[in-house]
C-alpha cells in the first residue's frame, strides 16, 4: 500500500490536516473550560457566594435543554450522536460541524453530565472533510473514511494528551478487525494481566529471577492480594451498575424521541434537580454532580480524605441518575462521568483490607469506563495514562476484563431510537 502514490499523497494530506484540526480542537477545549469556570466559579463569586447555590443548575439546565433540542431538530447531523450509544467515528459530515459545536457549547458548560470527547470526534472528522473540500481534493468513499478517522484522531488527541490513546480509541471505535478484534484481544488482556500478577507474586515468594527489562529504576510497591481480589469483585459490581446507567440512558433516549423539545428540557431539568438535591443534602457544591466530573476527579484523587462517606454515597447516587438522564437527552461523551463514578467507588471502598486509594481508584475507573465505552483496550491505555502508576497495570487489566465480560453478558436494554426526519419542503423536480 505504501508503494501506491495515491496512498502516500493521502498520508501527507492527513498529516497536514492534523495541524488545523488540532488547533481548532485546542481552542474549542479552551473555550469550554473558560465558559465552565466563568459560569460555575466566577459568576457565583461575583454575586457573593463561595460555591454556587443549590438552585444554580436549574436555570442553566433550562437554557441547555432548549438550545440542544432546537439544534437536534433544526441542524444537520442532529448535534452529534446520542451519548447512550457510546462513541462513534463513522458518518463524519462537514454539514454537521456547526450543530455539533453549538450543541456542545450549549450543553457541556451549562451542567450536562457528559464529556467533550464525542463532540471532538465529530468535529475533527467533519473539519477534515471541510478542508478537503476547500482544496478540492477528490471526494471518494475511501478518502471520506480515511480523512474522517484522521481528523477525529487529531482532535481527540488534544483532549487525551497524546496520540497513543487517541489512535487506540479510534481503532476500536472504528471496528478495525470487527468482532475478531475483541475475540483475540480480550483473552490476551486477561492472560497478560493474570500473568503479571503471578510473576510478581511468585517471584517475590521464591526470590528467584527470570530476567526482565528493568534498568535499575526504583522498584514500585508490590501488589497486595487484597487489591487483586477486591478489584475483581469491585469490577463485577461497578460494571453492572454502570451498565444499568447506560440502559437508563437508552430508555431516556426513547422518552426524548417522542417529544424532543419538551422532553429534552425535562430531562435536563431532572439532571439539574439531582445536582440541586445533592447540594441541599450535603451542603457541597452542585457542580460536583453537574458537569463531566473531569475536574472533580482530579480534586478527588489529590485529596480523597476531604470527601466524607456520606458525600461519596450521595454523589454516586445523584450523579448516576443525572448521568443517565443526560446520556439520552443532551450531547456529549460518556467517558469522563464514568471515570469519576468509578474513581468515587474506589475511594469509598479503599479502606478494605489490602486495597488502598490508588488501587481502588484505578480498578474502579477501569471497570466503569469499560462498561460505558465497551472498548477494553482503549480503557486500559486511558486509565494507565491517567493513574500513572505502573504497579497498578495488572489491576487495571483485570478490572477492565471482568467489567467488560459482565457488561456483555447482561441484557442490553432497548435500542437507540431514530428521530423522525426533519420537516421541510420537498425539492421540486428539475424541468
Amino acid at each position: 500500500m505504501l508503494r501506491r502514490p495515491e496512498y502516500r499523497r493521502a498520508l501527507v494530506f492527513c498529516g497536514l490536516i492534523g495541524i488545523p484540526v488540532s488547533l481548532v480542537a485546542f481552542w474549542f477545549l479552551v473555550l469550554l473550560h473558560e465558559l465552565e469556570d466563568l459560569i460555575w466559579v466566577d459568576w457565583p463569586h461575583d454575586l457573593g457566594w463561595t460555591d454556587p447555590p443549590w438552585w444554580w443548575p436549574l436555570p442553566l439546565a433550562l437554557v441547555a435543554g432548549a438550545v440542544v433540542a432546537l439544534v437536534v431538530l433544526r441542524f444537520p447531523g442532529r448535534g452529534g450522536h446520542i451519548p447512550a450509544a457510546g462513541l462513534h467515528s463513522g458518518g463524519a459530515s462537514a454539514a454537521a460541524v456547526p450543530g455539533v459545536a453549538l450543541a456542545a457549547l450549549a450543553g457541556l458548560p451549562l451542567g450536562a453530565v457528559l464529556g467533550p470527547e464525542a463532540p471532538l470526534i465529530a468535529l475533527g472528522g467533519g473539519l477534515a472533510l471541510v478542508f478537503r473540500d476547500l482544496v478540492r481534493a477528490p471526494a471518494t468513499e475511501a478518502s471520506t473514511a480515511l480523512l474522517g478517522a484522521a481528523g477525529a484522531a487529531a482532535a481527540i488527541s488534544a483532549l487525551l494528551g497524546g496520540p497513543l490513546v487517541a489512535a487506540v480509541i479510534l481503532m476500536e471505535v472504528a471496528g478495525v478487525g470487527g468482532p475478531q478484534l475483541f475475540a483475540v484481544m480480550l483473552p490476551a488482556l486477561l492472560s497478560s494481566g493474570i500473568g503479571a500478577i503471578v510473576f510478581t507474586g511468585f517471584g517475590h515468594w521464591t526470590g528467584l529471577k527470570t530476567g526482565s527489562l528493568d534498568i535499575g529504576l526504583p522498584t514500585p510497591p508490590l501488589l497486595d492480594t487484597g487489591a487483586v481480589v477486591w478489584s475483581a469483585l469491585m469490577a463485577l459490581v461497578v460494571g453492572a451498575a454502570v451498565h444499568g446507567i447506560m440502559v437508563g440512558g437508552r430508555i431516556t433516549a426513547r422518552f426524548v424521541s417522542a417529544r424532543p423539545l419538551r422532553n429534552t428540557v425535562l430531562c435536563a431539568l431532572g439532571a439539574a434537580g439531582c445536582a440541586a438535591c445533592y447540594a441541599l443534602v450535603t451542603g457541597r457544591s452542585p457542580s460536583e454532580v453537574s458537569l463531566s466530573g473531569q475536574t472533580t476527579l482530579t480534586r478527588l484523587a489529590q485529596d480523597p480524605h476531604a470527601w466524607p462517606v456520606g458525600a461519596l454515597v450521595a454523589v454516586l447516587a445523584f450523579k448516576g441518575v443525572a448521568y443517565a438522564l443526560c446520556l439520552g437527552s443532551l450531547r456529549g461523551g460518556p467517558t469522563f462521568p464514568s471515570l469519576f463514578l468509578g474513581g468515587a467507588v474506589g475511594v469509598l471502598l479503599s479502606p478494605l483490607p489490602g486495597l488502598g486509594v490508588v488501587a481502588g481508584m484505578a480498578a474502579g475507573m477501569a471497570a466503569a469506563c469499560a462498561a460505558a465505552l465497551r472498548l477494553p483496550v482503549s480503557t486500559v491505555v486511558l486509565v494507565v495514562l491517567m493513574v500513572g502508576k505502573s504497579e497498578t497495570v495488572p489491576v487495571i487489566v483485570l478490572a477492565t476484563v471482568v467489567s467488560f465480560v459482565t457488561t456483555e453478558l447482561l441484557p442490553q436494554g432497548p435500542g437507540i431510537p431514530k428521530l423522525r426526519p426533519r420537516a421541510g419542503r420537498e425539492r421540486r423536480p428539475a424541468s
Side-chain angles (χ1 to χ4, degrees), residues 144-214:
T144 299
L146 182 64
L147 293 176
I156 200 171
S157 67
L159 170 67
L160 302 179
L164 176 60
V165 64
V168 173
I169 286 179
L170 264 296
M171 179 184 70
E172 284 194 297
V173 167
V176 177
Q180 291 183 353
L181 175 68
F182 295 102
V184 173
M185 290 306 300
L186 206 61
L189 273 176
L190 180 60
S191 61
S192 63
I194 292 177
I197 294 171
V198 171
F199 267 74
T200 301
F202 197 75
H204 178 67
W205 175 58
T206 62
L208 301 175
K209 297 182 179 180
T210 60
S212 69
L213 298 177
D214 186 9

Side-chain angles (χ1 to χ4, degrees), residues 115 163 200 237 384 428:
T200 301
V237 176
V384 166
R428 297 176 60 183

Side-chain angles (χ1 to χ4, degrees), residues 171-172 176-195 235 366-367 369-371 373-380 394 396-409:
M171 179 184 70
E172 284 194 297
V176 177
Q180 291 183 353
L181 175 68
F182 295 102
V184 173
M185 290 306 300
L186 206 61
L189 273 176
L190 180 60
S191 61
S192 63
I194 292 177
C369 188
L373 299 186
R374 309 290 185 91
L375 306 175
V377 181
S378 302
T379 296
V380 170
I396 292 171
V397 171
L398 181 62
T400 298
V401 174
V402 171
S403 175
F404 181 80
V405 172
T406 301
T407 303
E408 290 293 325
L409 293 178

Side-chain angles (χ1 to χ4, degrees), residues 301-382:
Q302 292 175 350
D303 190 11
H305 301 293
W307 291 71
V309 173
L312 288 172
V313 173
V315 78
L316 286 170
F318 287 113
K319 196 175 187 74
V321 175
Y323 184 29
L325 291 172
C326 292
L327 280 169
S329 58
L330 302 179
R331 294 296 183 267
T335 305
F336 287 101
S338 67
L339 288 170
F340 174 80
L341 292 175
V345 172
V347 172
L348 182 64
L349 301 180
S350 61
L352 291 172
L355 184 58
V357 173
V358 175
M361 287 194 68
M365 290 164 62
C369 188
L373 299 186
R374 309 290 185 91
L375 306 175
V377 181
S378 302
T379 296
V380 170
V381 175
L382 177 60

